[in-house]
PDB file of all heavy atoms in Angstrom:
ATOM      1  N   LEU A 288       8.868 -71.698  -3.489  1.00 94.00           N
ATOM      2  CA  LEU A 288       8.057 -71.760  -2.254  1.00 94.00           C
ATOM      3  C   LEU A 288       7.054 -72.769  -2.352  1.00 94.00           C
ATOM      4  O   LEU A 288       6.058 -72.668  -3.152  1.00 94.00           O
ATOM      5  CB  LEU A 288       7.537 -70.383  -1.953  1.00 94.00           C
ATOM      6  CG  LEU A 288       8.588 -69.268  -1.638  1.00 94.00           C
ATOM      7  CD1 LEU A 288       7.763 -68.010  -1.394  1.00 94.00           C
ATOM      8  CD2 LEU A 288       9.545 -69.617  -0.347  1.00 94.00           C
ATOM      9  N   ASP A 289       7.099 -73.934  -1.420  1.00 93.00           N
ATOM     10  CA  ASP A 289       6.128 -74.920  -1.590  1.00 93.00           C
ATOM     11  C   ASP A 289       5.004 -74.578  -0.502  1.00 93.00           C
ATOM     12  O   ASP A 289       5.027 -73.537   0.296  1.00 93.00           O
ATOM     13  CB  ASP A 289       6.680 -76.204  -1.236  1.00 93.00           C
ATOM     14  CG  ASP A 289       7.473 -76.353   0.042  1.00 93.00           C
ATOM     15  OD1 ASP A 289       7.079 -75.600   1.007  1.00 93.00           O
ATOM     16  OD2 ASP A 289       8.286 -77.261   0.173  1.00 93.00           O
ATOM     17  N   GLY A 290       4.011 -75.501  -0.418  1.00 91.00           N
ATOM     18  CA  GLY A 290       2.841 -75.250   0.570  1.00 91.00           C
ATOM     19  C   GLY A 290       3.224 -75.006   1.936  1.00 91.00           C
ATOM     20  O   GLY A 290       2.718 -74.169   2.633  1.00 91.00           O
ATOM     21  N   ILE A 291       4.178 -75.868   2.449  1.00 90.00           N
ATOM     22  CA  ILE A 291       4.524 -75.698   3.854  1.00 90.00           C
ATOM     23  C   ILE A 291       5.230 -74.533   4.164  1.00 90.00           C
ATOM     24  O   ILE A 291       4.982 -73.777   5.135  1.00 90.00           O
ATOM     25  CB  ILE A 291       5.412 -76.944   4.241  1.00 90.00           C
ATOM     26  CG1 ILE A 291       4.644 -78.275   4.179  1.00 90.00           C
ATOM     27  CG2 ILE A 291       6.031 -76.744   5.581  1.00 90.00           C
ATOM     28  CD1 ILE A 291       3.511 -78.398   5.263  1.00 90.00           C
ATOM     29  N   GLN A 292       5.991 -74.072   3.134  1.00 93.00           N
ATOM     30  CA  GLN A 292       6.760 -72.728   3.358  1.00 93.00           C
ATOM     31  C   GLN A 292       5.802 -71.675   3.316  1.00 93.00           C
ATOM     32  O   GLN A 292       6.037 -70.685   4.069  1.00 93.00           O
ATOM     33  CB  GLN A 292       7.969 -72.575   2.404  1.00 93.00           C
ATOM     34  CG  GLN A 292       9.172 -73.608   2.429  1.00 93.00           C
ATOM     35  CD  GLN A 292       9.965 -73.500   1.242  1.00 93.00           C
ATOM     36  OE1 GLN A 292       9.461 -73.778   0.142  1.00 93.00           O
ATOM     37  NE2 GLN A 292      11.204 -73.116   1.488  1.00 93.00           N
ATOM     38  N   ILE A 293       4.878 -71.706   2.392  1.00 94.00           N
ATOM     39  CA  ILE A 293       3.865 -70.553   2.344  1.00 94.00           C
ATOM     40  C   ILE A 293       3.086 -70.565   3.614  1.00 94.00           C
ATOM     41  O   ILE A 293       2.885 -69.493   4.204  1.00 94.00           O
ATOM     42  CB  ILE A 293       2.885 -70.841   1.079  1.00 94.00           C
ATOM     43  CG1 ILE A 293       3.673 -70.629  -0.163  1.00 94.00           C
ATOM     44  CG2 ILE A 293       1.769 -69.836   1.238  1.00 94.00           C
ATOM     45  CD1 ILE A 293       4.191 -69.289  -0.400  1.00 94.00           C
ATOM     46  N   ALA A 294       2.558 -71.585   4.116  1.00 93.00           N
ATOM     47  CA  ALA A 294       1.895 -71.639   5.346  1.00 93.00           C
ATOM     48  C   ALA A 294       2.695 -71.081   6.504  1.00 93.00           C
ATOM     49  O   ALA A 294       2.221 -70.327   7.286  1.00 93.00           O
ATOM     50  CB  ALA A 294       1.379 -73.153   5.651  1.00 93.00           C
ATOM     51  N   SER A 295       3.979 -71.528   6.595  1.00 93.00           N
ATOM     52  CA  SER A 295       4.840 -70.982   7.574  1.00 93.00           C
ATOM     53  C   SER A 295       5.044 -69.453   7.494  1.00 93.00           C
ATOM     54  O   SER A 295       4.921 -68.738   8.517  1.00 93.00           O
ATOM     55  CB  SER A 295       6.266 -71.684   7.533  1.00 93.00           C
ATOM     56  OG  SER A 295       7.070 -71.180   8.601  1.00 93.00           O
ATOM     57  N   LEU A 296       5.182 -68.887   6.269  1.00 95.00           N
ATOM     58  CA  LEU A 296       5.380 -67.478   6.080  1.00 95.00           C
ATOM     59  C   LEU A 296       3.976 -66.732   6.462  1.00 95.00           C
ATOM     60  O   LEU A 296       4.107 -65.596   6.947  1.00 95.00           O
ATOM     61  CB  LEU A 296       5.809 -67.140   4.617  1.00 95.00           C
ATOM     62  CG  LEU A 296       7.212 -67.705   4.344  1.00 95.00           C
ATOM     63  CD1 LEU A 296       7.383 -67.375   2.740  1.00 95.00           C
ATOM     64  CD2 LEU A 296       8.235 -66.722   5.026  1.00 95.00           C
ATOM     65  N   MET A 297       2.911 -67.335   6.222  1.00 95.00           N
ATOM     66  CA  MET A 297       1.698 -66.712   6.542  1.00 95.00           C
ATOM     67  C   MET A 297       1.564 -66.601   7.994  1.00 95.00           C
ATOM     68  O   MET A 297       1.073 -65.563   8.619  1.00 95.00           O
ATOM     69  CB  MET A 297       0.456 -67.553   5.902  1.00 95.00           C
ATOM     70  CG  MET A 297       0.447 -67.402   4.394  1.00 95.00           C
ATOM     71  SD  MET A 297      -0.879 -68.382   3.642  1.00 95.00           S
ATOM     72  CE  MET A 297      -2.521 -67.707   4.499  1.00 95.00           C
ATOM     73  N   ILE A 298       1.991 -67.588   8.786  1.00 95.00           N
ATOM     74  CA  ILE A 298       1.888 -67.637  10.224  1.00 95.00           C
ATOM     75  C   ILE A 298       2.878 -66.425  10.706  1.00 95.00           C
ATOM     76  O   ILE A 298       2.574 -65.720  11.575  1.00 95.00           O
ATOM     77  CB  ILE A 298       2.259 -68.966  10.785  1.00 95.00           C
ATOM     78  CG1 ILE A 298       1.184 -70.019  10.480  1.00 95.00           C
ATOM     79  CG2 ILE A 298       2.446 -68.866  12.338  1.00 95.00           C
ATOM     80  CD1 ILE A 298       1.632 -71.394  10.812  1.00 95.00           C
ATOM     81  N   ASP A 299       4.159 -66.486  10.168  1.00 94.00           N
ATOM     82  CA  ASP A 299       5.119 -65.469  10.620  1.00 94.00           C
ATOM     83  C   ASP A 299       4.588 -64.007  10.399  1.00 94.00           C
ATOM     84  O   ASP A 299       4.873 -63.135  11.244  1.00 94.00           O
ATOM     85  CB  ASP A 299       6.422 -65.658   9.842  1.00 94.00           C
ATOM     86  CG  ASP A 299       7.094 -67.017  10.290  1.00 94.00           C
ATOM     87  OD1 ASP A 299       6.878 -67.513  11.361  1.00 94.00           O
ATOM     88  OD2 ASP A 299       8.010 -67.532   9.540  1.00 94.00           O
ATOM     89  N   HIS A 300       3.938 -63.750   9.396  1.00 94.00           N
ATOM     90  CA  HIS A 300       3.525 -62.370   9.008  1.00 94.00           C
ATOM     91  C   HIS A 300       2.043 -62.155   9.202  1.00 94.00           C
ATOM     92  O   HIS A 300       1.661 -61.087   8.816  1.00 94.00           O
ATOM     93  CB  HIS A 300       3.902 -62.131   7.535  1.00 94.00           C
ATOM     94  CG  HIS A 300       5.380 -62.225   7.312  1.00 94.00           C
ATOM     95  ND1 HIS A 300       6.277 -61.242   7.573  1.00 94.00           N
ATOM     96  CD2 HIS A 300       6.217 -63.264   6.797  1.00 94.00           C
ATOM     97  CE1 HIS A 300       7.479 -61.550   7.259  1.00 94.00           C
ATOM     98  NE2 HIS A 300       7.550 -62.812   6.786  1.00 94.00           N
ATOM     99  N   GLY A 301       1.359 -62.988   9.896  1.00 94.00           N
ATOM    100  CA  GLY A 301      -0.019 -62.716  10.273  1.00 94.00           C
ATOM    101  C   GLY A 301      -1.070 -62.680   9.243  1.00 94.00           C
ATOM    102  O   GLY A 301      -1.905 -61.826   9.296  1.00 94.00           O
ATOM    103  N   VAL A 302      -0.749 -63.407   8.182  1.00 94.00           N
ATOM    104  CA  VAL A 302      -1.685 -63.505   7.140  1.00 94.00           C
ATOM    105  C   VAL A 302      -2.701 -64.761   7.197  1.00 94.00           C
ATOM    106  O   VAL A 302      -2.139 -65.824   7.163  1.00 94.00           O
ATOM    107  CB  VAL A 302      -1.016 -63.490   5.630  1.00 94.00           C
ATOM    108  CG1 VAL A 302      -2.036 -63.555   4.582  1.00 94.00           C
ATOM    109  CG2 VAL A 302      -0.202 -62.251   5.486  1.00 94.00           C
TER     110      VAL A 302
END
Side-chain angles (χ1 to χ4, degrees):
L288 294 179
D289 60 26
I291 293 297
Q292 290 172 301
I293 292 299
S295 180
L296 288 171
M297 289 175 66
I298 294 171
D299 288 340
H300 296 278
V302 177

